[in-house]
């Protein structure tokens, strides 16, 4: 088949052609060793999509603004130090990005072509907790350290309230799940959350967790607190080496600041 015939066939099948190719990027610095281009470009190739994914190593907001306003821009991943700096460039933020105060994903709204900023860090933390719970159900252990991937992952685009695995009698109510993401430790203690049929992301649609502890007070800690709130955690505590930072963060999210981890 000629190139023209292939293009015509793809259009008939409603498949994207080279004319529809979009450019996706990773913004931030340092990012030279990121595996993201390899992963995304391999996926594009396997799926027969004409898109590309490249690294844009920069901390220049004006350069990013030029790129995201181009007609062929499809979306981007965002890492340090750009997670806060890109927010004014976007049409709107999702509830997660607004609450956490950082953007790690930019995409175009298919309905109105607006540039939307999202934050999926909390989803990674949630999946780590759920994977650990899945592991604890299989091993019938009351303590699981780290996030061991044994369960089926739910796509990040799904609402949080629909993502929780059903409870299992093999897990006791004292199960403790702990994990570390970007240097921030998150601990949850309770029966596992249950699946809800609601499409709302409100924590009220899930069975509440008993308690959660976040160690750290930076950007990832914000995502961890948001995650625990979405999972219906009844009590959330924040501990940080600089206690005043823990107090400020706890006050912003309406949770508790814990000065010491030692039992009284």
């Amino acid at each position: 088949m000629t190139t023209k015939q292939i293009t015509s066939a793809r259009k008939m099948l409603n498949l994207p052609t080279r004319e529809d190719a979009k450019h996706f990027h990773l913004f931030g610095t340092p990012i030279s060793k990121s595996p993201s281009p390899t992963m995304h470009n391999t996926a594009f190739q396997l799926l027969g999509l004409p898109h590309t994914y490249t690294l844009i190593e920069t901390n220049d907001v004006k350069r990013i603004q030029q790129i995201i306003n181009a007609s062929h821009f499809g979306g981007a991943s965002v890492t340090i130090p750009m997670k806060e700096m890109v927010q004014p460039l976007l049409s709107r933020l999702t509830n997660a990005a607004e609450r956490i105060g950082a953007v790690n994903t930019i995409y175009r709204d298919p309905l109105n072509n607006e540039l939307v900023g999202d934050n999926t860090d909390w989803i990674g933390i949630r999946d780590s907790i759920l994977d650990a719970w899945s592991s604890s159900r299989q091993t019938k252990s009351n303590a699981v350290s780290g996030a061991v991937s044994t369960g089926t992952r739910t796509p990040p685009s799904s609402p949080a309230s629909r993502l929780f695995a059903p409870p299992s009698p093999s897990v006791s109510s004292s199960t403790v799940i702990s994990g570390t993401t970007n240097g921030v430790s998150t601990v949850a203690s309770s029966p596992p959350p249950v699946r809800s049929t609601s499409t709302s992301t409100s924590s009220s649609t899930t069975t509440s967790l008993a308690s959660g502890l976040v160690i750290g007070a930076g950007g990832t800690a914000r995502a961890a607190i948001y995650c625990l709130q979405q999972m219906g955690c009844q009590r959330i505590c924040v501990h940080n080496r600089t206690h005043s930072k823990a107090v400020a963060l706890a006050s912003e999210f309406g949770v508790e600041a814990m000065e010491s981890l030692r039992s009284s």
Side-chain angles (χ1 to χ4, degrees):
M1 294 179 69
T2 64
T3 302
K4 186 176 181 180
Q5 288 173 323
I6 293 173
T7 301
S8 178
R10 291 185 68 90
K11 286 183 176 179
M12 288 177 61
L13 295 170
N14 201 29
L15 296 173
T17 65
R18 288 184 180 180
E19 298 171 0
D20 305 310
K22 298 294 183 182
H23 298 321
F24 297 82
H25 311 282
L26 169 61
F27 299 138
T29 185
I31 57 173
S32 61
K33 295 183 179 180
S34 171
S36 292
T38 300
M39 293 189 297
H40 287 83
N41 288 321
T42 299
F44 289 150
Q45 185 177 10
L46 291 173
L47 294 171
L49 299 174
H51 312 313
T52 59
Y53 187 104
T54 61
L55 299 179
I56 304 293
E57 184 148 1
T58 184
N59 58 3
D60 185 346
V61 176
K62 290 184 178 179
R63 184 183 177 192
I64 291 178
Q65 185 174 26
Q66 261 187 334
I67 294 171
I68 67 176
N69 286 332
S71 59
H72 55 257
F73 173 75
S77 312
V78 184
T79 188
I80 56 173
M82 309 307 300
K83 288 188 172 186
E84 292 80 24
M85 297 167 69
V86 300
Q87 293 183 44
L89 309 179
L90 307 174
S91 303
R92 61 183 175 87
L93 304 180
T94 63
N95 181 65
E98 191 170 348
R99 194 78 180 93
I100 295 169
V103 166
N104 76 345
T105 302
I106 301 173
Y107 65 91
R108 286 196 181 278
D109 189 323
L111 297 178
N112 53 28
N113 211 37
E114 286 184 343
L115 290 171
V116 182
D118 196 4
N119 190 301
T120 61
D121 287 336
W122 76 274
I123 296 174
I125 297 170
R126 180 211 61 202
D127 285 354
S128 295
I129 294 174
L130 295 180
D131 281 351
W133 255 314
S134 177
S135 177
S136 70
R137 288 200 299 270
Q138 289 187 7
T139 60
K140 297 184 180 181
S141 170
N142 286 340
V144 178
S145 179
V148 181
S149 181
T150 57
T152 301
R153 285 193 178 277
T154 309
S157 59
S158 300
S161 60
R162 299 169 57 193
L163 305 169
F164 303 135
S168 168
S170 63
V171 182
S172 76
S173 60
S174 61
T175 297
V176 176
I177 309 297
S178 67
T180 303
T181 306
N182 292 341
V184 174
S185 296
T186 309
V187 179
S189 175
S190 78
V194 297
R195 185 182 302 273
S196 168
T197 56
S198 169
T199 57
S200 167
T201 57
S202 169
S203 61
S204 64
T205 62
T206 65
T207 295
S208 295
L209 308 181
S211 58
L213 168 65
V214 176
I215 301 176
T220 306
R222 299 176 65 88
I225 295 172
Y226 180 83
C227 167
L228 292 173
Q229 288 179 330
Q230 291 303 300
M231 294 180 76
C233 199
Q234 295 177 3
R235 183 189 181 194
I236 301 171
C237 298
V238 183
H239 172 76
N240 191 62
R241 181 170 53 186
T242 305
H243 183 57
S244 59
K245 292 183 178 180
V247 171
L249 183 60
S251 176
E252 181 178 347
F253 278 86
V255 298
E256 300 177 40
M258 182 176 288
E259 188 166 8
S260 175
L261 296 180
R262 296 177 181 177
S263 58
S264 56

